């Protein structure tokens, strides 16, 4: 089930305001979302040539004057992450060399975010490395949605606007009037996210799944902390990658007596074998947003996709007009 319904927002300022200095360009990672954002803002996506040389090198040229303009480049660094990250860096460099006044990298999904600290010797902190690359390329501001960990904002020495997809998901859940809700964090690290989510669902009770991770993308679930028997359990996470964590969590919740299980996440990474796990009958519904495009072959009956275009568009507008962004989430 694919939904286009989204959070309804009123523009912070009248639509007749001057757009002359605002430019929006789209990378190739999520053109559909960029088109929705452009419609919300009432401006066209900027013209750009994107092609590859025979050896795979990427070439980008901005095809209109952006001298003195505030440029917003929309590009999630999703699969293929290395190609999409490199495309973003080249777009930023092209705009810098075209004398844009400000360059904001709008990154609905920030890849390489899971390695955000050293947990063993001789590891790379890729979240910081990517921050350095984007900054050195010439970005003057970052706008990202639902970072894997909020501390990544501190890896940048330029302004950073961190926005959340939860209002869109919360609006959708509220419209369903689900009975006896309990919000469940799939691991201890997501407790703060789940607690904030539960608070906005009329202070719904909170449960936590205690797990032991054996290796990357492999999770062993141990037990549930909290009461889920006879309740509608809503698992909340920032992303679903291979689906192992959330599927094992749902299986445990079922065994503990949960009547229904819903999964909610902002980013639908959906690496194999996520589709098989999510469509196996463990969930009544899997609710995600369109920060990452999901191809038709990866869609299944329990999937609901919500658009964050209005949320991103309103944030871009407020940043451009120097209005408050945080007030959108109060």
């Amino acid at each position: 089930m694919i939904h286009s319904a989204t959070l309804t927002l009123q523009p912070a300022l009248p639509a007749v305001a001057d757009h002359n200095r605002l430019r929006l360009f789209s990378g190739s990672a999520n053109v559909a979302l960029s088109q929705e954002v452009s419609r919300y803002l009432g401006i066209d996506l900027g013209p750009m040539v994107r092609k590859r040389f025979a050896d795979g090198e990427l070439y980008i040229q901005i095809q209109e004057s952006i001298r003195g303009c505030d440029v917003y480049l929309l590009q999630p660094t999703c699969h293929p992450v290395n190609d999409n990250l490199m495309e973003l860096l080249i777009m930023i460099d092209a705009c810098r060399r075209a004398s844009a006044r400000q360059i904001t990298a709008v990154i609905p999904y920030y890849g390489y975010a899971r390695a955000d600290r050293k947990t063993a010797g001789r590891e790379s902190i890729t979240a910081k490395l990517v921050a350095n690359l984007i900054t050195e390329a010439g970005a003057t501001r970052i706008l990202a949605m639902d970072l894997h960990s909020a501390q990544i904002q501190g890896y940048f020495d330029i302004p950073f606007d961190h926005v959340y997809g939860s209002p869109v998901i919360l609006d959708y859940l509220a419209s369903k009037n689900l009975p006896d809700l309990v919000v469940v964090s799939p691991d201890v690290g997501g407790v703060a996210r789940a607690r904030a989510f539960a608070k906005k669902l009329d202070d719904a009770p909170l449960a936590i799944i205690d797990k032991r991770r054996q290796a990357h993308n492999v999770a062993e679930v141990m037990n549930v902390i909290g009461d889920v028997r006879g309740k509608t359990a809503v698992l909340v996470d920032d992303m679903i990658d291979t689906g192992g964590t959330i599927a094992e969590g749902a299986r445990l919740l079922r065994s503990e007596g949960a009547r229904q299980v819903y999964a909610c996440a902002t980013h639908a990474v959906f690496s194999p074998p996520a589709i098989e796990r999510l469509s196996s009958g463990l969930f009544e519904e899997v609710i995600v947003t369109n920060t990452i495009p999901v191809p038709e072959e990866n869609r299944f009956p329990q999937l609901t996709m919500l658009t964050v275009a209005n949320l991103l568009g309103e944030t871009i507008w407020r940043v451009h007009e120097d209005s408050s962004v945080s007030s959108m989430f109060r």
Side-chain angles (χ1 to χ4, degrees):
M1 179 168 54
I2 311 302
H3 283 249
S4 60
T6 185
L7 184 69
T8 301
L9 292 166
Q10 295 298 321
L13 292 172
V16 295
D18 182 18
H19 281 190
N20 288 341
R21 295 182 65 155
L22 173 60
R23 297 287 191 275
L24 178 67
F25 292 88
S26 174
S28 61
N30 198 341
V31 176
L33 176 59
S34 299
Q35 290 170 338
E36 288 185 60
V37 172
S38 75
R39 284 195 292 271
Y40 179 85
L41 290 169
I43 61 175
D44 294 330
L45 290 174
M48 183 170 63
V49 169
R50 180 192 302 104
K51 62 183 181 181
R52 288 187 181 274
F53 294 103
D55 64 352
E57 290 181 9
L58 187 64
Y59 170 85
I60 286 175
Q61 181 191 34
I62 307 299
Q63 291 200 293
E64 67 177 3
S65 175
I66 56 172
R67 185 180 298 274
C69 292
D70 296 338
V71 176
Y72 294 81
L73 306 174
L74 200 153
Q75 173 85 332
T77 52
C78 53
H79 178 80
V81 59
N82 296 330
D83 288 352
N84 287 331
L85 174 59
M86 195 66 203
E87 182 177 341
L88 174 62
L89 297 176
I90 296 172
M91 289 167 62
I92 294 170
D93 185 66
C95 291
R96 177 174 64 88
R97 295 178 188 279
S99 301
R101 188 173 75 98
Q102 290 191 17
I103 303 168
T104 301
V106 182
I107 311 174
Y109 170 70
Y110 185 88
Y112 280 114
R114 281 170 281 192
D116 58 5
R117 63 194 184 280
K118 287 186 71 172
T119 58
R122 300 171 296 283
E123 283 186 332
S124 171
I125 303 177
T126 54
K128 172 59 175 169
L129 172 62
V130 170
N132 289 345
L133 290 171
I134 293 171
T135 303
E136 287 300 315
T140 55
R141 178 182 291 271
I142 306 295
L143 195 168
M145 178 168 283
D146 277 326
L147 293 170
H148 187 63
S149 56
Q151 74 230 31
I152 292 172
Q153 298 172 77
Y155 298 167
F156 288 87
D157 293 323
I158 55 177
F160 195 114
D161 290 295
H162 188 202
V163 297
Y164 305 93
S166 55
V168 175
I169 298 173
L170 286 163
D171 271 13
Y172 177 75
L173 285 174
S175 72
K176 295 179 72 69
N177 295 313
L178 297 173
D180 300 320
L181 276 180
V182 56
V183 175
V184 184
S185 173
D187 53 36
V188 174
V191 171
R193 181 185 302 109
R195 185 183 294 118
F197 203 89
K199 184 177 181 181
K200 292 175 181 177
L201 285 173
D202 298 325
D203 280 325
L206 182 67
I208 303 166
I209 294 176
D210 175 42
K211 72 178 184 184
R212 302 289 187 269
R213 185 175 292 280
Q214 305 297 313
H216 292 301
N217 297 129
V218 178
E220 180 185 355
V221 174
M222 302 300 289
N223 53 52
V224 177
I225 303 169
D227 180 24
V228 298
R229 187 166 300 278
K231 296 182 181 293
T232 300
V234 179
L235 276 159
V236 178
D237 212 344
D238 63 316
M239 71 170 75
I240 300 175
D241 189 358
T242 62
T245 296
I246 210 156
E248 288 300 317
R251 192 171 288 111
L252 180 62
L253 292 171
R254 296 277 189 188
S255 69
E256 292 290 322
R259 187 171 71 249
Q260 293 182 314
V261 180
Y262 289 77
C264 298
T266 302
H267 308 301
V269 180
F270 287 178
S271 303
I275 304 306
E276 290 79 0
R277 288 169 169 169
L278 297 173
S279 61
S280 63
L282 289 170
F283 302 96
E284 269 66 34
E285 199 170 352
V286 177
I287 304 164
V288 298
T289 74
N290 63 341
T291 57
I292 297 174
V294 178
E296 287 293 335
E297 62 269 22
N298 284 350
R299 298 183 181 184
F300 49 94
Q302 298 89 349
L303 180 66
T304 296
M305 287 189 68
L306 306 174
T307 181
V308 293
N310 287 13
L311 197 59
L312 285 174
E314 180 66 15
T315 305
I316 289 171
W317 183 242
R318 289 180 182 227
V319 169
H320 180 64
E321 294 295 332
D322 296 323
S323 298
S324 171
V325 171
S326 61
S327 63
M328 296 168 57
F329 303 97
R330 291 173 186 160

